[in-house]
């Protein structure tokens, strides 16, 4: 089983649309994992049935039992996150500020503080329109995307792929260069970098590649909207050469990306011409290299 | 006046709006633009200004003193993040896991884990006339954005007076970093695209803002593509639609070169005027 992860460093490069198209082309040979849990959009294109839904708990949160609290203020004094304000004379934990460090219960003279498991979101195992399985999630509001939910989604996808004897796990990776993308990348066999020829696109590509390079994972790149700025496109291409990253394909700036999305379709379902051809070739190439 | 510019996910034009709005406002008054997207700060690519100051930013982590430690193991027990481990006769600290809660340090019976600073990123302060620009960047490998966002906010608080308009380019998403970046703002501009992805991410961002009890409005970027579901959603939910930045290949091209839009595209300037009008309305309402 191979694990292929698609990442882009920044948003708006068309990563999810491209991943969805690859997933469509992969049909029943793949298991799909949407690890972009902050802004999980894949389900809008893949028609999942949300077959199984489960809560995900990660980390802790403090709660003060008012009946046992003697208002000594010790907890508020030691909390480094200003998470225990006094409201109407009562010490109350602000759930959005509490880091779950567990320090306050250790200083409370009356044992009035409980540490509770925190529900950070939901995760799903669904059957999608291609008949295969997708694992995806929804992060709760203000939850800490520590990468644990991402890791969980990915591991479930891997487990299912093994069980069902699927060749490939295709992962829509998280944005940024922090914890979640680290979780998306670990264990990957091949990384597809999606970028666009803008000054920020190139800048973010370099930054996220630093990370990929640290993991020592072979990578290939798809340049989306390549004709938007031929000069930056050329810069990207020379960066790819220099770092020995395969140039999988260049896609033109095309309003069909949005048009397909508006109909809830992947690009390869919607477009029968140029984009379809390039993406079909890209998928063949990726399967061959990975 | 503190205004945060946020979006449910990246790539919706948040940075484009922040930089154009900042530069345009600066034609008439003092403005500071703060890039709080510390994992991927991009605003600086669009703002031409001179570097005034550079500061290294630190987070506090415990440092073990083997001479006084009695190997009681209390530190390992109190750390909820598994950032301190007792391995045989040694105490090991894993800085990337540490949340700087001070529990291990302050609860050590022999004071053998004093907190010491460790570099987590860099803050840069630029200036060009009436426009100031602050950018913080997380070191690669540092995983927690929130402490750096907090310190950057503090820096801005100390450096600029109440009168200066402050624009905060927030990180994307709805998780901790966004909350940290928006929780002190007087008003939040949510940027979205008129597409199914845009609408879905907007609804998450709106839920977050309502949870935080924030005053907010929506700006549609790339107006003209997709469909009108975002507009329908906003009117059904009674959310003010502040501006519609047109979709235009020329805009995409200017953006790709790191250029500001409002100077070249009259349609953008008009929309910024609408947005500013709304903000000024808020300000005078606040004074009353
Ligand atoms: S658990 Fe930690 S962060 Fe939460 S309230 Fe207690 S001391 Fe503060
Ligand atoms: S330390 Fe315990 S008793 Fe004192 S204020 Fe906090 S919760 Fe109440
Ligand atoms: S709590 Fe202090 S004395 Fe005890 S093992 Fe840790 S460092 Fe050593
Ligand atoms: S300061 Fe808190 S998080 Fe850091 S090592 Fe000590 S107990 Fe753990």
């Amino acid at each position: 089983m191979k694990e292929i992860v698609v990442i882009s460093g920044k948003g708006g490069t068309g990563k999810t649309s491209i991943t969805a198209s690859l997933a469509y082309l992969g049909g029943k040979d793949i298991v799909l994992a949407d690890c972009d849990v902050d802004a999980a959009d894949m389900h809008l294109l893949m028609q999942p049935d949300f077959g199984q839904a489960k809560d995900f708990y990660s980390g802790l949160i403090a709660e003060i039992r008012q009946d046992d609290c003697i208002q000594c203020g010790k907890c508020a004094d030691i909390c480094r996150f200003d998470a225990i304000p006094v409201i109407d004379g009562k010490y109350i934990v602000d759930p959005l500020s509490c880091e779950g460090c567990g320090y306050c219960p250790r200083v409370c003279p009356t044992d009035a503080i409980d540490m509770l498991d925190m529900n950070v979101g939901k995760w799903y195992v669904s059957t999608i329109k291609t008949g295969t399985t997708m694992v995806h999630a929804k992060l709760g509001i203000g939850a800490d995307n520590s990468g644990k939910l991402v890791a969980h989604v990915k591991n479930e996808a891997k487990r299912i792929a093994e069980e069902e004897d699927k060749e490939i796990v295709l992962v829509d990776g998280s944005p940024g260069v922090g914890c979640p993308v680290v979780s998306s990348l670990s264990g990957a066999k091949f990384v597809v970098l999606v970028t666009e020829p803008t000054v920020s696109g190139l800048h973010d590509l370099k930054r996220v590649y630093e990370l990929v390079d640290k993991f020592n994972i072979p990578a290939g790149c798809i340049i989306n909207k390549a004709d938007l700025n031929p000069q930056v496109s050329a810069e990207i291409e020379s960066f790819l050469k220099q770092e020995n990253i395969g140039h999988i394909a260049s896609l033109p700036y095309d309003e069909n990306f949005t048009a397909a999305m508006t109909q809830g379709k992947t690009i390869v379902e919607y477009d029968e011409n140029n984009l379809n051809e390039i993406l079909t070739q890209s998928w063949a190439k990726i399967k061959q290299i990975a | 006046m503190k205004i945060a510019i946020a979006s449910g996910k990246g790539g919706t034009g948040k940075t484009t709006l922040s930089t154009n709005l900042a530069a345009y406002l600066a034609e008439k008054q003092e403005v500071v633009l703060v890039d709080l997207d510390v994992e991927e700060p991009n605003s600086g690519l669009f703002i031409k200004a001179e570097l005034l100051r550079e500061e290294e930013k630190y987070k506090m982590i415990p440092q073990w003193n083997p001479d006084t430690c009695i190997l009681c193991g209390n530190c390992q027990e109190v750390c909820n993040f598994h950032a301190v481990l007792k391995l045989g006769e040694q105490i090991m600290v894993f800085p990337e896991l540490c949340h700087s809660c001070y529990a291990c340090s302050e609860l050590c019976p022999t004071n053998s884990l004093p907190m010491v600073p460790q570099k987590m990123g860099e803050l840069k302060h630029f200036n060009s006339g009436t426009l100031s620009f602050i950018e913080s960047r997380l070191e690669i490998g540092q995983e927690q954005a929130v402490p750096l966002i907090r310190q950057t906010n503090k820096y801005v608080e100390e450096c600029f007076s109440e009168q200066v308009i402050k624009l905060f380019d927030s990180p994307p998403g709805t998780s901790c970093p966004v909350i940290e970046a928006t929780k002190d703002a007087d008003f939040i501009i949510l940027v979205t695209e008129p597409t199914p992805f845009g609408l879905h991410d907007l609804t998450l961002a709106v839920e977050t803002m309502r949870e935080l009890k924030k005053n907010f409005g929506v700006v549609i970027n790339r107006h003209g593509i997709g469909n009108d579901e975002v507009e329908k959603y906003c009117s059904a939910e009674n959310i003010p639609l502040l501006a519609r930045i047109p979709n235009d290949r020329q805009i995409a091209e200017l953006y790709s070169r790191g250029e500001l839009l409002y100077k070249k595209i009259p349609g953008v300037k008009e929309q910024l005027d609408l947005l500013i009008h709304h903000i000024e309305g808020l300000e005078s309402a606040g004074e009353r």
Side-chain angles (χ1 to χ4, degrees):
Chain A
M1 188 206 34
K2 299 181 239 184
E3 190 183 322
I4 301 171
V5 181
V6 187
I7 55 170
S8 74
K10 73 178 287 247
T13 57
K15 172 180 66 83
T16 300
S17 290
I18 289 171
T19 314
S21 291
L22 300 179
Y24 191 82
L25 293 166
K28 288 191 175 170
D29 296 342
I30 64 151
V31 169
L32 186 59
D34 187 357
C35 284
D36 192 348
V37 301
D38 265 310
D41 286 334
M42 187 73 91
H43 63 280
L44 298 170
L45 301 179
M46 302 314 274
Q47 285 163 14
D49 61 357
F50 293 87
Q52 290 176 43
K54 284 182 189 142
D55 285 319
F56 189 76
Y57 293 89
S58 160
L60 300 166
I61 190 158
E63 197 180 73
I64 298 175
R65 288 188 317 275
Q66 293 304 329
D67 288 348
D68 295 324
C69 172
I70 53 166
Q71 281 94 34
C72 72
K74 279 205 177 113
C75 53
D77 282 348
I78 58 91
C79 178
R80 291 277 158 176
F81 308 96
D82 295 331
I84 313 185
V86 187
I87 300 169
D88 297 334
K90 286 186 187 146
Y91 287 84
I92 294 175
V93 176
D94 168 14
L96 287 175
S97 300
C98 175
E99 289 261 328
C101 71
Y103 191 176
C104 55
R106 294 182 185 274
V107 299
C108 175
T110 60
D111 246 335
I113 308 177
D114 295 319
M115 296 302 295
L116 310 175
D117 285 326
M118 187 149 88
N119 183 339
V120 294
K122 270 195 156 56
W123 63 280
Y124 312 92
V125 178
S126 294
T127 303
I128 53 175
K129 63 181 169 191
T130 54
T132 196
T133 308
M134 167 161 116
V135 186
H136 48 131
K138 184 179 185 244
L139 196 69
I141 287 171
D144 188 2
N145 185 1
S146 62
K148 288 194 182 114
L149 184 54
V150 169
H152 186 77
V153 165
K154 214 173 71 161
N155 289 336
E156 279 301 312
K158 278 207 258 194
R159 194 184 56 77
I160 292 167
E162 243 149 50
E163 247 174 49
E164 299 181 355
D165 216 9
K166 300 277 167 114
E167 255 177 80
I168 294 169
V169 175
L170 184 65
V171 180
D172 190 16
S174 319
V177 291
C179 273
V181 69
V182 170
S183 299
S184 321
L185 284 173
S186 67
K189 180 88 194 305
F190 186 72
V191 172
V192 179
L193 300 156
V194 177
T195 188
E196 59 176 25
T198 60
V199 282
S200 51
L202 176 58
H203 169 260
D204 294 334
L205 173 69
K206 288 184 176 165
R207 229 167 122 75
V208 79
Y209 183 69
E210 254 182 76
L211 203 65
V212 174
D213 199 32
K214 273 193 187 161
F215 276 94
N216 230 327
I217 310 168
C221 181
I222 295 179
I223 307 176
N224 192 14
K225 313 174 200 169
D227 53 341
L228 199 59
N229 188 328
Q231 197 193 327
V232 181
S233 270
E235 274 176 57
I236 293 176
E237 285 182 40
S238 68
F239 171 74
L240 299 180
K241 265 214 190 86
Q242 178 198 321
E243 298 288 341
N244 222 346
I245 306 166
H247 179 189
I248 300 167
S250 287
L251 290 162
Y253 179 92
D254 197 321
E255 304 281 354
N256 274 356
F257 261 77
T258 316
M261 188 199 297
T262 309
Q263 295 190 8
K265 286 185 175 166
T266 60
I267 309 157
V268 287
E269 288 171 275
Y270 183 85
D271 180 293
E272 286 170 357
N273 305 313
N274 194 14
L275 292 176
N276 187 314
E277 200 177 304
I278 302 174
L279 285 165
T280 307
Q281 283 168 3
S282 302
W283 179 236
K285 250 194 203 169
I286 292 167
K287 277 205 291 189
Q288 200 190 347
I289 335 174
Chain B
M1 181 92 182
K2 293 185 203 160
I3 299 163
I5 295 123
S7 67
K9 72 166 197 167
T12 55
K14 187 171 55 67
T15 299
T16 310
L17 184 70
S18 313
T19 49
N20 279 279
L21 185 60
Y24 189 40
L25 280 169
E27 288 181 358
K28 281 187 263 167
Q29 58 199 303
E30 237 192 299
V31 178
V32 50
L33 172 64
V34 188
D35 195 342
L36 292 179
D37 193 355
V38 298
E39 279 189 40
E40 307 277 349
N42 271 338
S43 298
L45 299 168
F46 301 86
I47 300 279
K48 315 276 172 283
E50 225 172 296
L51 183 64
L52 281 187
R53 214 150 124 195
E54 217 169 329
E55 274 181 19
E56 297 194 334
K57 288 289 170 197
Y58 299 90
K59 73 171 191 185
M60 302 301 282
I61 57 160
Q63 189 181 47
W64 183 50
N65 179 356
D67 299 337
T68 51
C69 172
I70 53 168
L71 296 168
C72 69
N74 192 48
C75 46
Q76 167 171 330
E77 204 193 301
V78 301
C79 181
N80 263 2
F81 306 106
H82 309 291
V84 227
L85 269 186
K86 179 165 170 278
L87 278 174
E89 306 251 295
Q90 269 207 358
I91 300 296
M92 289 182 64
V93 175
F94 298 91
E96 46 326 322
L97 298 178
C98 174
H99 287 229
S100 310
C101 75
Y102 283 66
C104 60
S105 181
E106 293 176 357
L107 296 173
C108 169
T110 59
N111 286 325
S112 302
L113 283 171
M115 299 296 279
V116 297
Q118 189 206 35
K119 187 175 172 194
M120 65 172 162
E122 234 161 50
L123 180 150
K124 287 186 180 157
H125 183 161
F126 300 86
N127 180 268
S128 159
T130 47
L131 179 63
S132 298
F133 172 57
I134 314 283
E135 170 195 272
S136 282
R137 183 181 300 269
L138 207 59
E139 300 248 289
I140 295 258
Q142 284 288 342
E143 298 181 348
Q144 295 155 30
V146 171
L148 185 56
I149 293 173
R150 203 176 285 146
Q151 289 196 26
T152 309
N153 274 333
K154 206 168 145 231
Y155 180 89
V156 173
E157 195 77 13
E158 283 163 9
C159 272
F160 299 92
S161 77
E162 291 270 315
Q163 282 76 42
V164 181
I165 290 209
K166 304 180 184 83
L167 299 178
F168 296 88
D169 188 354
S170 312
T174 53
S175 58
C176 290
V178 195
I179 309 268
E180 190 62 39
T182 50
K183 72 179 185 195
D184 293 331
D186 301 307
F187 186 72
I188 290 144
I189 301 171
L190 298 174
V191 188
T192 190
E193 286 184 355
T195 63
F197 283 10
L199 175 61
H200 176 251
D201 300 329
L202 176 65
T203 54
L204 297 181
V206 166
E207 271 180 57
T208 311
M209 293 310 137
R210 289 198 168 141
E211 182 101 341
L212 291 173
K213 303 197 171 55
K214 286 291 173 189
N215 207 344
F216 62 93
V218 167
V219 168
I220 296 183
N221 192 29
R222 300 187 66 205
H223 178 69
I225 61 163
N227 54 30
D228 58 3
E229 294 295 321
V230 169
E231 305 234 0
K232 281 190 198 153
Y233 168 77
C234 288
S235 74
E237 294 281 322
N238 256 321
I239 300 166
L241 233 173
L242 309 170
R244 298 170 180 85
I245 313 288
N247 182 48
D248 184 332
R249 189 176 160 127
Q250 201 195 340
I251 291 184
E253 285 175 6
L254 288 169
Y255 172 79
S256 80
R257 294 199 293 268
E259 287 184 41
L260 291 175
L261 311 176
Y262 75 92
K263 289 187 180 155
K264 301 232 165 100
I265 299 178
V268 171
K269 203 177 207 161
E270 267 169 39
Q271 293 298 316
L272 289 180
D273 279 325
L274 280 176
L275 184 55
I276 290 168
H277 185 74
H278 191 93
I279 295 170
E280 284 169 350
L282 290 169
E283 235 177 334
S284 51
E287 275 159 23
R288 250 183 274 133

